[in-house]
Amino acid sequence: MTIDGPSGAGKSTVARAVAEQLGFTYIDTGAMYRGIGWLARERAIPFREGPALEALLRDARLVFEEHEDGTRLMVNGEDVTERIRTAEMGMVASDISAIPSVRRWLSALQRSLGEAGNTVLEGRDMGTVVFPDADVKVFLTASLDARGERRAAELCARGEAVALEHIIQDLAQRDRNDSNRDIAPLRKAEDAMEIDTSALTVAEVVERVMEAVQRRGNSG
Ligand code: DC
Protein backbone atom coordinates (compact mmCIF):
# COMPACT_ATOMS: atom_id res chain seq x y z
CA MET A 1 0.00 0.00 0.00
CA THR A 2 1.18 3.54 -0.73
CA ILE A 3 0.35 6.78 1.06
CA ASP A 4 1.45 10.04 -0.58
CA GLY A 5 0.77 13.71 0.01
CA PRO A 6 2.31 17.02 1.05
CA SER A 7 4.08 17.67 4.38
CA GLY A 8 1.79 17.77 7.37
CA ALA A 9 -1.20 16.05 5.72
CA GLY A 10 -0.99 13.29 8.36
CA LYS A 11 0.80 10.66 6.29
CA SER A 12 3.17 9.33 8.96
CA THR A 13 0.58 9.06 11.72
CA VAL A 14 -1.96 7.40 9.43
CA ALA A 15 0.58 5.11 7.73
CA ARG A 16 1.91 3.94 11.09
CA ALA A 17 -1.58 3.21 12.44
CA VAL A 18 -2.71 1.40 9.27
CA ALA A 19 0.49 -0.68 9.19
CA GLU A 20 -0.06 -1.66 12.81
CA GLN A 21 -3.68 -2.71 12.21
CA LEU A 22 -2.70 -4.79 9.18
CA GLY A 23 0.50 -6.20 10.69
CA PHE A 24 2.44 -4.61 7.80
CA THR A 25 5.85 -2.90 7.84
CA TYR A 26 5.75 0.89 7.74
CA ILE A 27 8.39 2.55 5.58
CA ASP A 28 8.97 6.29 5.90
CA THR A 29 10.63 7.29 2.61
CA GLY A 30 10.87 10.96 3.63
CA ALA A 31 13.25 9.84 6.40
CA MET A 32 15.42 8.29 3.69
CA TYR A 33 15.69 11.62 1.82
CA ARG A 34 16.42 13.30 5.13
CA GLY A 35 19.12 10.68 5.85
CA ILE A 36 20.89 11.25 2.53
CA GLY A 37 20.56 15.04 3.00
CA TRP A 38 22.07 14.71 6.46
CA LEU A 39 25.03 12.69 5.12
CA ALA A 40 25.70 15.15 2.28
CA ARG A 41 25.62 18.06 4.70
CA GLU A 42 27.84 16.23 7.20
CA ARG A 43 30.45 15.70 4.48
CA ALA A 44 29.98 19.21 3.06
CA ILE A 45 29.12 17.80 -0.37
CA PRO A 46 27.36 20.24 -2.73
CA PHE A 47 23.77 19.41 -3.66
CA ARG A 48 24.34 18.80 -7.36
CA GLU A 49 25.31 15.95 -9.66
CA GLY A 50 29.06 15.28 -9.71
CA PRO A 51 31.80 12.94 -8.54
CA ALA A 52 31.42 13.90 -4.86
CA LEU A 53 27.72 13.01 -4.80
CA GLU A 54 28.40 9.85 -6.83
CA ALA A 55 30.99 8.77 -4.26
CA LEU A 56 28.58 9.50 -1.41
CA LEU A 57 25.84 7.35 -2.98
CA ARG A 58 28.36 4.58 -3.65
CA ASP A 59 29.18 4.10 -0.01
CA ALA A 60 25.97 5.31 1.67
CA ARG A 61 24.24 2.71 3.86
CA LEU A 62 20.69 3.44 5.00
CA VAL A 63 19.18 0.87 7.32
CA PHE A 64 15.95 0.89 9.33
CA GLU A 65 16.57 -0.98 12.58
CA GLU A 66 13.74 -2.28 14.72
CA HIS A 67 14.26 -1.51 18.41
CA GLU A 68 11.96 -1.97 21.38
CA ASP A 69 11.19 1.75 21.47
CA GLY A 70 10.57 2.00 17.73
CA THR A 71 12.32 2.12 14.37
CA ARG A 72 15.71 3.82 14.15
CA LEU A 73 17.30 5.11 10.96
CA MET A 74 21.00 4.29 10.74
CA VAL A 75 23.10 6.14 8.15
CA ASN A 76 26.54 4.60 7.70
CA GLY A 77 26.28 3.15 11.18
CA GLU A 78 25.19 6.38 12.84
CA ASP A 79 21.78 6.74 14.46
CA VAL A 80 20.23 9.88 12.90
CA THR A 81 16.59 9.23 13.94
CA GLU A 82 16.15 12.42 15.98
CA ARG A 83 18.63 14.63 14.14
CA ILE A 84 16.78 14.39 10.82
CA ARG A 85 13.44 15.52 12.24
CA THR A 86 14.10 19.28 12.39
CA ALA A 87 12.36 21.79 10.09
CA GLU A 88 15.76 22.61 8.62
CA MET A 89 16.42 18.98 7.68
CA GLY A 90 13.00 18.87 6.01
CA MET A 91 14.11 21.62 3.65
CA VAL A 92 17.52 19.96 3.13
CA ALA A 93 15.69 16.73 2.18
CA SER A 94 13.39 18.59 -0.18
CA ASP A 95 16.39 20.21 -1.91
CA ILE A 96 18.41 17.01 -2.30
CA SER A 97 15.33 15.08 -3.43
CA ALA A 98 15.26 17.05 -6.72
CA ILE A 99 18.61 15.51 -7.81
CA PRO A 100 18.03 12.64 -10.30
CA SER A 101 20.83 10.34 -9.06
CA VAL A 102 19.59 10.65 -5.47
CA ARG A 103 16.02 9.76 -6.56
CA ARG A 104 17.25 6.79 -8.60
CA TRP A 105 19.33 5.50 -5.71
CA LEU A 106 16.57 5.86 -3.12
CA SER A 107 13.79 4.60 -5.43
CA ALA A 108 15.79 1.39 -5.99
CA LEU A 109 16.25 0.95 -2.25
CA GLN A 110 12.54 1.64 -1.64
CA ARG A 111 11.55 -0.95 -4.28
CA SER A 112 13.75 -3.56 -2.65
CA LEU A 113 12.17 -2.81 0.75
CA GLY A 114 8.61 -2.92 -0.65
CA GLU A 115 9.02 -5.88 -2.97
CA ALA A 116 8.37 -8.41 -0.26
CA GLY A 117 4.81 -7.03 0.10
CA ASN A 118 2.90 -6.35 3.31
CA THR A 119 4.30 -2.84 3.49
CA VAL A 120 2.85 0.64 3.86
CA LEU A 121 5.17 3.01 2.01
CA GLU A 122 4.71 6.67 2.75
CA GLY A 123 6.14 9.56 0.69
CA ARG A 124 5.55 11.80 -2.32
CA ASP A 125 5.93 9.48 -5.35
CA MET A 126 5.18 6.03 -3.96
CA GLY A 127 1.92 5.52 -5.89
CA THR A 128 3.02 7.39 -9.04
CA VAL A 129 6.61 6.33 -9.68
CA VAL A 130 8.03 3.79 -7.24
CA PHE A 131 5.02 1.45 -6.91
CA PRO A 132 2.65 2.31 -9.78
CA ASP A 133 1.00 -1.13 -9.39
CA ALA A 134 0.36 -0.92 -5.63
CA ASP A 135 -2.86 -2.64 -4.49
CA VAL A 136 -4.16 0.34 -2.54
CA LYS A 137 -3.07 3.97 -3.08
CA VAL A 138 -4.01 6.80 -0.80
CA PHE A 139 -3.36 10.52 -1.31
CA LEU A 140 -3.75 12.66 1.82
CA THR A 141 -4.18 16.43 1.65
CA ALA A 142 -5.10 19.16 4.14
CA SER A 143 -5.30 22.95 4.14
CA LEU A 144 -2.05 24.85 4.68
CA ASP A 145 -3.36 26.17 8.01
CA ALA A 146 -4.26 22.70 9.31
CA ARG A 147 -0.91 21.33 8.23
CA GLY A 148 0.94 24.26 9.82
CA GLU A 149 -0.81 23.78 13.13
CA ARG A 150 -0.05 20.08 13.21
CA ARG A 151 3.61 20.64 12.34
CA ALA A 152 3.89 23.36 15.03
CA ALA A 153 2.50 20.97 17.68
CA GLU A 154 4.88 18.23 16.52
CA LEU A 155 7.96 20.46 16.61
CA CYS A 156 6.87 21.90 19.97
CA ALA A 157 6.62 18.38 21.43
CA ARG A 158 10.22 17.85 20.34
CA GLY A 159 11.30 21.05 22.06
CA GLU A 160 11.75 23.00 18.82
CA ALA A 161 9.65 26.16 19.16
CA VAL A 162 9.06 27.70 15.73
CA ALA A 163 6.53 30.47 14.99
CA LEU A 164 3.44 29.20 13.16
CA GLU A 165 3.93 31.83 10.49
CA HIS A 166 7.41 30.50 9.68
CA ILE A 167 6.16 26.92 9.64
CA ILE A 168 3.43 27.82 7.14
CA GLN A 169 5.96 29.67 4.93
CA ASP A 170 8.26 26.67 5.13
CA LEU A 171 5.46 24.24 4.18
CA ALA A 172 4.41 26.43 1.24
CA GLN A 173 8.02 26.57 0.04
CA ARG A 174 8.35 22.78 0.33
CA ASP A 175 5.04 22.30 -1.52
CA ARG A 176 6.44 24.41 -4.37
CA ASN A 177 9.78 22.52 -4.38
CA ASP A 178 8.17 19.08 -4.24
CA SER A 179 5.39 19.78 -6.75
CA ASN A 180 7.41 21.67 -9.34
CA ARG A 181 10.54 19.55 -9.65
CA ASP A 182 11.12 17.83 -12.99
CA ILE A 183 11.31 14.26 -11.77
CA ALA A 184 8.75 12.46 -9.67
CA PRO A 185 6.93 15.62 -8.57
CA LEU A 186 4.38 15.38 -5.79
CA ARG A 187 1.03 14.53 -7.36
CA LYS A 188 -1.88 12.21 -6.83
CA ALA A 189 -1.83 8.96 -8.80
CA GLU A 190 -4.94 8.73 -10.98
CA ASP A 191 -6.07 5.59 -9.18
CA ALA A 192 -5.36 6.89 -5.67
CA MET A 193 -8.10 7.59 -3.16
CA GLU A 194 -7.86 11.23 -2.04
CA ILE A 195 -8.74 12.19 1.53
CA ASP A 196 -8.75 15.78 2.78
CA THR A 197 -7.77 15.35 6.43
CA SER A 198 -8.23 19.03 7.49
CA ALA A 199 -11.40 18.40 9.48
CA LEU A 200 -10.97 14.70 10.27
CA THR A 201 -9.50 12.99 13.30
CA VAL A 202 -6.68 10.47 12.85
CA ALA A 203 -9.14 7.66 13.72
CA GLU A 204 -11.54 8.82 10.99
CA VAL A 205 -8.80 8.91 8.35
CA VAL A 206 -7.51 5.48 9.41
CA GLU A 207 -11.06 4.11 9.20
CA ARG A 208 -11.48 5.37 5.62
CA VAL A 209 -8.15 3.87 4.59
CA MET A 210 -9.06 0.54 6.19
CA GLU A 211 -12.37 0.58 4.32
CA ALA A 212 -10.46 1.03 1.05
CA VAL A 213 -8.23 -1.92 1.98
CA GLN A 214 -11.29 -4.07 2.67
CA ARG A 215 -13.00 -3.02 -0.56
CA ARG A 216 -9.88 -3.94 -2.45
CA GLY A 217 -9.68 -7.30 -0.63
CA ASN A 218 -13.34 -8.08 -1.41
CA SER A 219 -12.98 -7.22 -5.08
CA GLY A 220 -10.25 -9.86 -5.30
O1 DC B 1 7.91 13.41 4.35
P1 DC B 1 9.09 14.28 4.79
O2 DC B 1 8.69 15.65 5.20
O3 DC B 1 9.96 13.62 5.81
O4 DC B 1 9.98 14.42 3.45
C1 DC B 1 11.09 15.27 3.37
C2 DC B 1 11.33 15.69 1.93
O5 DC B 1 11.78 14.56 1.18
C3 DC B 1 10.12 16.20 1.16
O6 DC B 1 9.98 17.60 1.29
C4 DC B 1 10.37 15.78 -0.26
C5 DC B 1 11.28 14.59 -0.15
N1 DC B 1 10.61 13.32 -0.46
C6 DC B 1 10.48 12.97 -1.78
O7 DC B 1 10.88 13.73 -2.66
N2 DC B 1 9.95 11.76 -2.12
C7 DC B 1 9.50 10.92 -1.17
N3 DC B 1 8.99 9.74 -1.53
C8 DC B 1 9.58 11.28 0.20
C9 DC B 1 10.13 12.50 0.52
Side-chain angles (χ1 to χ4, degrees), residues 13-219:
T13 314
V14 171
R16 220 177 259 124
V18 168
E20 197 175 326
Q21 287 198 21
L22 293 169
F24 283 15
T25 306
Y26 160 62
I27 299 166
D28 174 0
T29 65
M32 300 167 86
Y33 283 95
R34 288 170 187 258
I36 287 292
W38 175 83
L39 189 61
R41 267 256 304 249
E42 192 71 3
R43 295 189 182 175
I45 287 169
F47 285 17
R48 59 168 181 268
E49 300 286 12
L53 188 64
E54 263 170 45
L56 175 138
L57 293 174
R58 224 178 0 257
D59 67 24
R61 296 275 174 281
L62 256 65
V63 181
F64 287 112
E65 277 186 12
E66 295 306 324
H67 288 242
E68 253 175 34
D69 59 344
T71 307
R72 318 289 305 173
L73 177 62
M74 311 299 291
V75 177
N76 289 13
E78 205 162 329
D79 186 342
V80 299
T81 314
E82 275 85 30
R83 268 176 283 177
I84 59 167
R85 302 274 35 129
T86 62
E88 193 198 349
M89 287 309 301
M91 199 58 86
V92 163
S94 181
D95 287 342
I96 207 159
S97 76
I99 303 176
S101 61
V102 170
R103 294 210 78 82
R104 274 196 302 277
W105 195 88
L106 280 176
S107 298
L109 182 55
Q110 287 153 9
R111 278 190 196 106
S112 72
L113 292 175
E115 240 161 31
N118 292 357
T119 47
V120 179
L121 291 119
E122 174 238 313
R124 302 291 187 291
D125 61 340
M126 292 299 106
T128 50
V129 175
V130 183
F131 291 97
D133 299 325
D135 287 348
V136 176
K137 298 182 187 179
V138 176
F139 192 80
L140 298 185
T141 58
S143 69
L144 202 49
D145 281 349
R147 296 193 280 134
E149 274 161 28
R150 286 178 195 157
R151 193 43 54 93
E154 221 175 272
L155 291 171
C156 185
R158 287 199 195 103
E160 210 191 333
V162 187
L164 182 60
E165 193 189 315
H166 287 142
I167 292 175
I168 288 180
Q169 274 170 14
D170 190 87
L171 286 173
Q173 176 64 45
R174 274 220 276 157
D175 284 355
R176 280 194 294 277
N177 273 4
D178 297 345
S179 307
N180 296 330
R181 66 178 175 230
D182 291 335
I183 40 164
L186 167 67
R187 67 175 177 81
K188 176 186 159 309
E190 268 172 30
D191 52 349
M193 173 175 79
E194 182 165 350
I195 306 175
D196 183 336
T197 70
S198 309
L200 298 176
T201 64
V202 171
E204 285 167 336
V205 181
V206 170
E207 200 183 313
R208 289 189 195 190
V209 174
M210 292 302 291
E211 279 164 12
V213 172
Q214 266 134 30
R215 273 200 303 277
R216 172 73 207 194
N218 293 338
S219 72

